[in-house]
Amino acid sequence: MAPSLFHVLIRTIRTARTQAEEREMIQKECAAIRSSFREEDNTYRCRNVAKLLYMHMLGYPAHFGQLECLKLIASQKFTDKRIGYLGAMLLLDERQDVHLLMTNCIKNDLNHSTQYVQGLALCTLGCMGSSEMCRDLAGEVEKLLKTSNSYLRKKAALCAVHVIRKVPELMEMFLPATKNLLNEKNHGVLHTSVVLLTEMCERSPDMLAHFRKLVPQLVRILKNLIMSGYSPEHDVSGISDPFLQVRILRLLRILGRNDDDSSEAMNDILAQVATNTETSKNVGNAILYETVLTIMDIKSESGLRVLAINILGRFLLNNDKNIRYVALTSLLKTVQTDHNAVQRHRSTIVDCLKDLDVSIKRRAMELSFALVNGNNVRGMMKELLYFLDSCEPEFKADCASGIFLAAEKYAPSKRWHIDTIMRVLTTAGSYVRDDAVPNLIQLITNSVEMHAYTVQRLYKAILGDYSQQPLVQVASWCIGEYGDLLVSGQCEEEEPIQVTEDEVLDILESILISNMSASVTRGYALTAIMKLSTRFTCTVNRIKKVVSIYGSSIDVELQQRAVEYNALFKKYDHMRPALLERMPVMEKKQNDFIVKCNKDTGAGGSMLNLQKSLCLDVMEMTSVMLRMVSRFCKSPDHYFFSAGIPSITAYNKNGLKIDFTFERSNTNPSVTVITIQASNSTELDMTDFVFQAAVPKTFQLQLLSPSSSVIPAFNSGTITQVIKVLNPQKQQLRMRIKLTYNHKGSAMQDLAEVNNFPPQSWQ
Amino acid sequence: TVRVSWPCGGCSGRLRQQTWKIHFILLFSRQGKLRLQKWYTTLPDKEKKKIVREIVQIILARHQKTSSFVDWKDLKLVYKRYASLYFCCAIEDQDNELLTLEVVHRYVELLDRYFGNVCELDIIFNFEKAYFILDEFIIGGEVQDTSKRSAVKAIEDSDMLQEVRLRKTKGKHLIFLHLPCLTGA
């Protein structure tokens, strides 16, 4: 009996009312198909595989059809081949064992007499051919790249692109065939040729140099497209072949980058496209967008750059959300290099903070932080604080960090600074990053004249609600430090409040007891209580009592502290005042981080990058003190430990060796510090050495200045450079590095992946 | 994939070689039923299913007034709804999103030209044709032809080559009918 017709099956399956019913139908049909396959029935194979593919789309397994696809491809019938190749593309990717069995069929079909069969083969190879298959068939593709049949030529070009992506070493063999590609009139061939050239130029600096000479021709083609009359076949809303225009613009970008002559040669056409393209529809804006990207990337003259930024500015005012989105993304890329030009659009950007679209909001936020400077800080902070108040939770941590950074850099007054910090802590107190707490403490310590005001405000903030941990930690610490100012009502900046020592101890004890308090927070509270023993006069006994109670706390940290503080009361009482004395103003170590952040990390996220992780763990310091019984007067530097983390050789090629050594911060477990050492075992120096690194999206990277740019020969010296990696999600560390240097008279460049990071460096 | 911004003047900055290809294309209904999936990268079947589920959920949850772009992992999703079908393209983060909208639109136009007033049912009952048309438009995640006519013409010519004759029933739905093969084989 003939198997059911293809469309009948679809119709039947669609009548199923439940998932179970559908599954039953499918199982029945699959069984029928399987037995039909077993009977090796050529007639119905095509129909059955088609049905199988439909069921595969519904989510059911179809692997038993793999071999059938191969048989269909090998068949002489075009109908069979069509479905066979479709099945292959859906079921036979390179991970399947039988994938390679296709190779011979594809090879034959690449030489078939019917162009549509050749087309099927080219398409399949170009979509999913494995590296081996590409190696085997590259020669055939290269042949077809030279055919005069434009239908095949365009497909061969994209097939070549795929081959190059899979097997980059084969790129050279396609070079001769590229000779006349741009002379074609056929838009399909032109388009795919440009794609092929783009791929080659991106992968090889030699190819890039070789193809620079095409710039005039590309400019001409683009000009013709713009000036030519209406062509119905390629027209989109009055614009001639926007796809080709964009790809040419992109290729021009690659060719013009870092090259003055090429950039000069394309200057006029870019200006022309930028000014003449119709902007009423999306398609025109797509071209303008690409033009802007190209202008910003090549060595364009300043007039052109201003033109580009203005286009983006207009985009920002467009009603279409997509256009605004794109504008913000681009402005983010250029804000470092064209800062002043972007500043002009600041108010529009700030308006975008109120947009409904989450992606637009995020970009507007990052851009806003990048635009904050000494002149606009008050106004900008107002907007950003409002944003912090109302934005989605996913933004709050980044926004808070950004505000802290910006405030620190540009605060017009200490009072304003403290107020801003307070505002963030009270608005988004639970989203503030852990490493912000030591930072803030240091800031407060150094704002000597604001101590009374600060402690009063913090006290008031936690009175009603002590659930936001970072806020509570900072507040506890301040109360411990400046509790005497609090009870004596010394505040000048605002109306001093009346509060007794007992009331202060009440709140600190509540924090200690509360279920909401993290262990760290409790530690802060206990230490604060202890410190008040030298600042309060009436409640010392109460403090002694509290401290002794916690000497038997289940929490080991707390217990240790309490025991040590107890010891202070009992055996070392004469030292207590000195040990618990007011903190002196602390020197800022490594505040060059912030400046580096802005310069080294380019677009947008500068304010949100790695913050100072100042070690200010008072509890640790106190116990160190007690053990050594010595007077502490200066905050220790970062605690870093490198013990036990093995170094790795990240790169070792052509005489250049790069080793990584690791350090971890014990106050901020998300930070890993990598020191690279580059050495040169060849007999000639390597000069103009530049090391660049990139990490996956969830990480952040900070590259400090290298020790020099010359690696002397014969391993007689090294270049060292420090990389700081922030890994808040504790993901496996991966890195791509790019090395450029001059050696033996030629420019060298290499890219490599570093995957051998020891687990201790990121876990 | 790894990406960072460089500080060099004007450089938009990529470390790895930039490819701009489309990573995958998904068509699904408003109830989340998959109508077409084209993958231009190799992934295990299980992974593909997971991705489809995730993305369908993300896009169906999108507010009407938001942009057509969603940041997703290392990629960007460009989507647009045409009648009852969502068309979703995953592109590289640095690719031109606005142009991708045009790519999606062009595909819809090609379907429309072939089927005549294309609707979701056409894609369901003739899904293999939807794939054929897509494969004439895009190879390996890159556009192969920018002409409105030639892709459809190629499919129509190929249809004529089929040994199994196709016959239009009422409406637009084509069926396979087994007729004696013209070559007598």
Side-chain angles (χ1 to χ4, degrees), chain A residues 294-311:
Chain A
T294 299
I295 292 174
M296 301 315 286
D297 224 8
I298 63 171
K299 302 220 153 195
S300 42
E301 46 174 56
S302 60
L304 203 52
R305 293 180 84 85
V306 170
L307 185 58
I309 303 258
N310 288 345
I311 290 175

Side-chain angles (χ1 to χ4, degrees), chain A residues 344-599:
Chain A
R344 271 182 234 129
H345 302 282
R346 196 178 66 243
S347 54
T348 324
I349 291 169
V350 166
D351 281 342
C352 290
L353 285 172
K354 307 192 180 85
D355 203 296
L356 274 177
D357 186 313
V358 162
S359 317
I360 288 181
K361 269 202 263 216
R362 174 163 285 282
R363 282 159 175 75
M365 180 183 78
E366 290 187 22
L367 205 41
S368 299
F369 280 123
L371 290 175
V372 176
N373 61 29
N375 293 328
N376 59 35
V377 64
R378 280 190 197 265
M380 288 296 276
M381 278 299 125
K382 211 161 139 198
E383 297 284 351
L384 286 163
L385 282 166
Y386 180 76
F387 176 69
L388 181 65
D389 233 331
S390 52
C391 68
E392 286 84 350
E394 65 204 81
F395 290 119
K396 293 209 195 244
D398 285 335
C399 190
S401 302
I403 291 177
F404 285 145
L405 273 165
E408 193 171 331
K409 247 196 119 169
Y410 299 112
S413 73
K414 287 233 156 104
R415 161 86 191 254
W416 181 93
H417 195 173
I418 301 285
D419 281 343
T420 303
I421 292 174
M422 287 298 310
R423 180 79 185 272
V424 174
L425 284 175
T426 48
T427 316
S430 37
Y431 296 98
V432 166
R433 294 212 164 88
D434 293 337
D435 53 352
V437 170
N439 221 16
L440 295 173
I441 287 176
Q442 187 204 35
L443 275 164
I444 293 169
T445 310
N446 291 352
S447 314
V448 177
E449 64 277 22
M450 305 295 302
H451 285 168
Y453 173 70
T454 310
V455 69
Q456 177 162 297
R457 285 215 55 192
L458 280 167
Y459 175 77
K460 286 200 284 195
I462 60 169
L463 256 188
D465 167 23
Y466 41 87
S467 62
Q468 303 191 83
Q469 299 305 295
L471 171 62
V472 172
Q473 288 167 17
V474 175
S476 304
W477 191 91
C478 273
I479 294 172
E481 262 312 279
Y482 312 120
D484 50 322
L485 301 177
L486 187 58
V487 298
S488 64
Q490 286 186 26
C491 182
E492 280 172 11
E493 299 281 342
E494 65 176 20
E495 188 67 37
I497 56 172
Q498 311 281 23
V499 62
T500 65
E501 292 182 10
D502 275 305
E503 283 169 330
V504 173
L505 288 172
D506 284 343
I507 190 79
L508 286 174
E509 280 193 58
S510 311
I511 294 168
L512 264 177
I513 306 172
S514 166
N515 283 331
M516 294 183 288
S517 297
S519 181
V520 171
T521 310
R522 288 204 181 94
Y524 273 93
L526 186 62
T527 304
I529 292 176
M530 185 59 194
K531 283 169 29 181
L532 289 172
S533 71
T534 56
R535 289 151 174 80
F536 283 178
T537 47
C538 333
T539 45
V540 182
N541 283 330
R542 177 174 175 183
I543 292 174
K544 273 194 205 169
K545 219 167 116 191
V546 173
V547 167
S548 72
I549 289 173
Y550 279 88
S552 42
S553 163
I554 300 177
D555 185 325
V556 175
E557 280 293 311
L558 230 44
Q559 192 192 102
Q560 183 181 349
R561 301 294 165 244
V563 165
E564 285 167 354
Y565 296 157
N566 247 342
L568 253 190
F569 274 122
K570 303 236 166 70
K571 284 198 329 197
Y572 302 101
D573 203 41
H574 56 287
M575 302 191 83
R576 187 165 47 91
L579 278 169
L580 300 176
E581 202 178 70
R582 250 310 182 260
M583 287 285 197
V585 171
M586 284 176 241
E587 275 170 33
K588 272 191 190 186
K589 299 270 178 189
Q590 306 201 304
N591 61 355
D592 54 354
F593 261 48
I594 303 302
V595 177
K596 284 274 194 254
C597 270
N598 285 336
K599 279 206 314 220

Side-chain angles (χ1 to χ4, degrees), chain A residues 600-671:
Chain A
D600 290 353
T601 56
S606 58
M607 289 299 190
L608 310 177
N609 279 342
L610 192 61
Q611 301 174 58
K612 306 190 297 235
S613 49
L614 180 71
C615 165
L616 189 59
D617 189 329
V618 177
M619 299 188 288
E620 301 202 18
M621 290 192 293
T622 314
S623 53
V624 164
M625 278 183 311
L626 286 171
R627 283 184 209 115
M628 299 196 304
V629 193
S630 62
R631 208 177 157 144
F632 112 97
C633 59
K634 199 169 178 195
S635 71
D637 207 69
H638 292 239
Y639 279 154
F640 280 118
F641 61 88
S642 59
I645 307 182
S647 326
I648 58 168
T649 298
Y651 181 89
N652 193 352
K653 212 165 139 187
N654 298 328
L656 172 62
K657 182 153 94 84
I658 300 188
D659 291 320
F660 284 3
T661 49
F662 303 94
E663 286 173 287
R664 299 291 296 273
S665 163
N666 75 342
T667 47
N668 186 348
S670 310
V671 172

Side-chain angles (χ1 to χ4, degrees), chain A residues 78-79 82 94 116 151 154-155 165 233 235 241 247 257 282 290 296-297 321-322 357 736, chain B residues 10 12 14-15 42 65 67-68 96 102 136 142 144-149 157 159 162-163:
Chain A
F78 183 70
T79 318
R82 242 184 159 185
E94 60 189 292
Y116 295 114
Y151 177 78
K154 71 187 183 202
K155 290 179 194 281
R165 285 176 181 160
E233 214 176 322
D235 178 273
D241 206 339
R247 290 314 300 242
R257 201 185 277 154
N282 179 68
E290 196 72 35
M296 301 315 286
D297 224 8
K321 276 192 191 294
N322 295 335
D357 186 313
R736 284 224 189 192
Chain B
S12 64
R14 294 164 299 282
L15 175 54
T42 310
K65 292 203 183 289
S67 66
S68 306
N96 186 328
E102 295 299 320
E136 276 301 319
E142 305 276 6
Q144 71 181 276
D145 206 314
T146 57
S147 149
K148 291 184 204 172
R149 282 190 319 213
D157 286 352
D159 287 347
Q162 297 211 174
E163 298 84 356

